[in-house]
Amino acid sequence: MNCPHCDSSEVEHRTYNSEVDRSVYKCRSCGRRFRADDDGVRADGGKVGNGTERSGNSSGGMERFEAVDEIVPNGGRDRDGSHRTLGRWTFEYTPAREFVEDRLEGRVLNACAGRTLLEHDDEIVRNDLNPDREADLHVDVCEIADHFVPGEFDTVVFDPPFDDHQADDKYDGLRADGVLEAFGEFAKLVRPKGRVITFGWNSWGMSSIDAFEREETVLLQRGPCLRDVIVTVDRRTNHSITVKRSGNDRTLHTETEQS
Ligand SMILES: C[S@@+](CC[C@H](N)C(=O)[O-])C[C@H]1O[C@@H](n2cnc3c(N)ncnc32)[C@H](O)[C@@H]1O
């Protein structure tokens, strides 16, 4: 079995919810995941990324449809018998915490750290605007790149309040209003080949920035009448970064650019 993305033979079954998941492989070389029946090759011989491509849109080009990789059902019990619930502190919910911990690589920035301490074999820098939260710094995530050297993180975790109601109801009125600004900050801080893991009500993630490629989109179900939480994993693919705004593209220059 070789990885359909980089052709490496260094592949293994991934671990999920503390158990080996034999339906999904993880490539030790490029870090991407794939299923056993995913040969990564379109009928015309081109490579497929993490999504599905269909021909025949109005401009005659290829439309790209990203796939949802996994839907994680709500509920169940932890090993100690307690009920699992996805609540205010996202990573106290075991499937969310394990999903994130399984994807942490190298030096990590937990940009809206909240209360939960993640486990990882390298440094995790915690930021939270609320001075009462246990964190290394307490700054607005929309200006966080001012506090670090460009490209100094391998992974950024972004789990902000998802909307104004949540911010007022659960997080002392603190909010991350400029989500696009926050994504621009992460583009500066994450090194090439690094990852940004985003939690929210939508699947946008780092897709405003063309140097990032979607690796995974996962839904965390919360119940029949509640919205799913959407988790996206985006990997930085090259050194040149453009932030797309409607009709007004903006290029970000970072010290990690090669040209
Ligand atoms: C959803 S909670 C994070 C939960 C965390 N993942 C956990 O499991 O404990 C969002 C956090 O973002 C913080 N926050 C809100 N606005 C922020 C901002 N503009 N910059 C940085 N942190 C912010 C809140 O104080 C809150 O602790």
Side-chain angles (χ1 to χ4, degrees):
M1 172 69 65
N2 281 26
C3 171
H5 304 290
C6 72
D7 206 32
S8 167
S9 58
E10 297 284 304
V11 299
E12 62 190 2
H13 287 294
R14 74 157 180 188
T15 304
Y16 190 71
N17 282 350
S18 306
E19 285 168 15
V20 175
D21 178 354
R22 299 203 169 276
S23 66
V24 177
Y25 290 85
K26 178 181 177 183
C27 175
R28 281 203 291 268
S29 297
C30 72
R32 298 178 71 168
R33 288 163 177 71
F34 59 96
R35 294 183 187 279
D37 57 358
D38 173 12
D39 64 2
V41 178
R42 295 196 310 258
D44 64 2
K47 277 273 182 188
V48 177
N50 197 28
T52 306
E53 290 176 338
R54 301 175 196 166
S55 60
N57 66 7
S58 55
S59 61
M62 299 292 285
E63 285 183 76
R64 185 173 173 78
F65 297 87
E66 295 291 347
V68 170
D69 293 277
E70 192 150 0
I71 300 175
V72 181
N74 194 16
R77 288 175 186 269
D78 280 329
R79 290 183 193 285
D80 64 3
S82 59
H83 282 285
R84 289 175 168 172
T85 312
L86 178 44
R88 180 200 303 198
W89 306 112
T90 317
F91 303 151
E92 287 184 355
Y93 180 58
T94 302
R97 181 174 52 73
E98 290 190 346
F99 179 90
V100 169
E101 287 179 346
D102 189 36
R103 286 155 182 78
L104 298 181
E105 294 172 345
R107 190 159 185 254
V108 174
L109 172 64
N110 192 351
C112 291
R115 193 168 83 167
T116 318
L117 301 178
L118 293 169
E119 283 186 21
H120 180 44
D121 57 10
D122 205 329
E123 183 186 8
I124 299 181
V125 176
R126 293 171 62 86
N127 172 63
D128 197 296
L129 192 54
N130 188 336
D132 295 335
R133 300 270 87 84
E134 184 178 334
D136 302 289
L137 70 166
H138 299 281
V139 301
D140 187 342
V141 66
C142 302
E143 299 173 356
I144 198 164
D146 295 346
H147 302 268
F148 297 100
V149 174
E152 75 170 274
F153 291 100
D154 299 280
T155 310
V156 174
V157 178
F158 184 41
D159 179 26
F162 296 170
D163 57 38
D164 285 351
H165 175 72
Q166 267 200 356
D168 292 336
D169 193 38
K170 298 180 172 163
Y171 306 113
D172 306 296
L174 299 176
R175 63 202 70 214
D177 279 334
V179 169
L180 190 62
E181 276 69 30
F183 290 138
E185 300 290 279
F186 304 153
K188 294 178 202 166
L189 291 178
V190 77
R191 68 165 175 79
K193 300 216 173 105
R195 278 171 165 163
V196 178
I197 305 171
T198 303
F199 287 71
W201 290 143
N202 65 52
S203 60
W204 197 258
M206 296 295 284
S207 56
S208 298
I209 301 167
D210 57 9
F212 283 80
E213 184 176 273
R214 177 62 42 87
E215 273 192 352
E216 287 178 273
T217 304
V218 171
L219 309 182
L220 303 180
Q221 290 183 328
R222 296 161 65 234
C225 303
L226 297 170
R227 281 177 280 187
D228 295 343
V229 170
I230 302 178
V231 192
T232 55
V233 182
D234 297 300
R235 192 179 284 275
R236 187 170 166 187
T237 56
N238 63 42
H239 295 195
S240 169
I241 287 180
T242 303
V243 179
K244 289 179 218 139
R245 294 165 179 275
S246 45
N248 179 23
D249 285 4
R250 184 164 62 99
T251 301
L252 287 174
H253 298 284
T254 76
E255 289 175 14
T256 53
E257 278 185 42
Q258 283 180 325
S259 57

